[in-house]
Amino acid sequence: MREVNCPYCTSRASKYGKTKAGSQRWRCSCCGNTFTEKIDATAKNLKIFLNWLFGKGVQTDMPGNGRTFRRKVAKFWTLWPLPPKMEKTYDVLYLDGIYLSRKLCVLICSSDEVVLGWYVCRYEHSKAWMALMKRIAAPRVVISDGGSGFTKALRTVWPHTSHQRCLFHVFAQVRRYTTRFPKTLAGQELYSLAKDLFTVKDMDAAYVWIDALLAWRQRHDSFLQEMTVDEMGNKHSTHERLLKAEASLWRLVRNNTVFTYLEFVDITVSPYNNRLEGGVNAQLRAMLRNHRGLPLERRLKAVYWWCYMHSHRQLSVPELLRCMPTDETIASIYKRLNSKYQVDA
């Protein structure tokens, strides 16, 4: 026989008839209180919510044309699943940002297996990167696409961590200046040099590539120095885009961030940011595309839920509901701080 305890004194209870609705009534032999068991379906409802959020289903296909579903999962839309502080040290971490709108970005940090942290900001800048990185133990190598302010944040928070720029983003930056089909010989050769980055597998090949970039400059130096006079009589470089493409490559070489993956022999370092671009950002974009039409705040919370459910340490459902901040608690904190620092007229 199943044992039921009294919710008031925790003593053992016995069956005591049924209610008008047909539910089993229980009576405590110690304190005399009668009660019915309350079934907590929170965990079940959370599973239903996440299956819908991470799937392709639509609400109208659910019982009640989605009305019952919305009622059951309303509490989960009020939560903000936040990342825990990371004390475990990883050899390689990947950092990148995903924009949900023109002025809303989520910065994400991930290892090869799990998501370690996320932070919302208006755009990528050094303080936002610092806020994300301060909660995570410094790795040996970090791989990124070189977002705005990242270098400064890395130098401040993780000063002893090596930085590897994603080679595909390096190539894409050159391609943006030269286009896919350059018209000039210098542009064609520089575009080819950028593609050759993908074939560099050891330090000897890296030095050969650097020498080739230097030879390119010497070969086309007079061509790159050509100037054009505009209608106002001002001089500017005729091939400014090629010069910018070359400068971006030399900047990475000087900063030692383009061939970092070749410097380590005891660990495997990828030259690409595929773990985030393909393993995280692509899935986030697919999720938001499947549920297009969500308000911006819910799109942000959907990203939070995905990151939290793919993190390494998840709380139980009761702990999640008890510990994670809600819209109400955040609004009360903002109201209290706003009144505290308000300046009297």
Side-chain angles (χ1 to χ4, degrees), residues 73-90:
V73 306
K75 67 176 72 174
F76 305 121
W77 280 123
T78 65
L79 288 177
W80 290 91
L82 299 180
K85 186 175 181 179
M86 287 298 306
E87 297 180 352
K88 180 181 177 181
T89 303
Y90 290 84

Side-chain angles (χ1 to χ4, degrees), residues 176-191:
R176 185 166 61 248
Y177 290 123
T178 63
T179 74
R180 292 178 182 269
F181 305 100
K183 302 299 183 183
T184 63
L185 178 61
Q188 295 170 6
E189 291 183 1
L190 187 61
Y191 180 74

Side-chain angles (χ1 to χ4, degrees), residues 41-98:
T42 306
K44 179 181 177 181
N45 292 336
L46 177 61
K47 185 177 181 180
I48 294 173
F49 170 69
L50 295 177
N51 287 339
W52 168 80
L53 188 61
F54 300 157
K56 298 182 179 180
V58 294
Q59 296 182 18
T60 53
D61 294 337
M62 298 182 176
N65 289 329
R67 291 188 295 272
T68 303
F69 168 78
R70 288 190 290 272
R71 174 175 54 82
K72 289 182 177 180
V73 306
K75 67 176 72 174
F76 305 121
W77 280 123
T78 65
L79 288 177
W80 290 91
L82 299 180
K85 186 175 181 179
M86 287 298 306
E87 297 180 352
K88 180 181 177 181
T89 303
Y90 290 84
D91 290 328
V92 182
L93 292 183
Y94 307 83
L95 279 82
D96 195 12
I98 178 172

